[in-house]
Amino acid sequence: MTLATHPLAELAPKFIELSGEILFNDVWERPGLSKRDRSLITVASLVSLYRQNELPFHLKKALENGLTKEEIVEAITHLAFYSGWPTAATALTIAKSTFDAS
């Protein structure tokens, strides 16, 4: 899915435009962190905040940015002790579904 084909593109075009221009074309391109590191941070944040809707997109992006499935699972397992068992269990279910679909 591209930003142009995002389900909210027709409803909230400015929101999608800002996501593309500021988040993905500016913040994600800053030289201070690698995209791999940004993906790890993003996945960890989404797991911890129980953001189920956004997690599949960012799990795919994490794989594209060089994280392995094993590293993602290890990060989620580690987070179980910091963000809570239910958030990690849900994230692992989403990760399995996402990995199986790719």
Side-chain angles (χ1 to χ4, degrees):
M1 170 178 48
T2 66
L3 291 176
T5 61
H6 191 283
L8 297 176
E10 187 176 325
L11 174 67
K14 187 63 174 179
F15 177 84
I16 299 304
E17 176 189 339
L18 292 170
S19 293
E21 291 303 314
I22 296 171
L23 178 58
F24 290 106
N25 290 336
D26 183 12
V27 174
W28 273 82
E29 297 300 325
R30 292 174 53 81
L33 292 170
S34 69
K35 287 186 180 180
R36 182 189 184 282
D37 291 347
R38 289 183 191 281
S39 282
L40 182 59
I41 292 165
T42 301
V43 167
S45 295
L46 294 174
V47 170
S48 297
L49 294 170
Y50 204 63
R51 300 297 192 249
Q52 299 175 55
N53 292 336
E54 293 80 8
L55 194 53
F57 172 85
H58 283 285
L59 288 169
K60 290 176 199 165
K61 186 63 84 178
L63 293 171
E64 291 171 13
N65 287 336
L67 284 165
T68 66
K69 292 175 184 178
E70 294 78 16
E71 289 170 324
I72 292 168
V73 169
E74 186 62 30
I76 295 170
T77 301
H78 184 78
L79 285 167
F81 295 91
Y82 294 93
S83 68
W85 211 261
T87 62
T90 298
L92 287 169
T93 301
I94 292 170
K96 180 178 182 338
S97 175
T98 302
F99 298 159
D100 288 348
S102 40

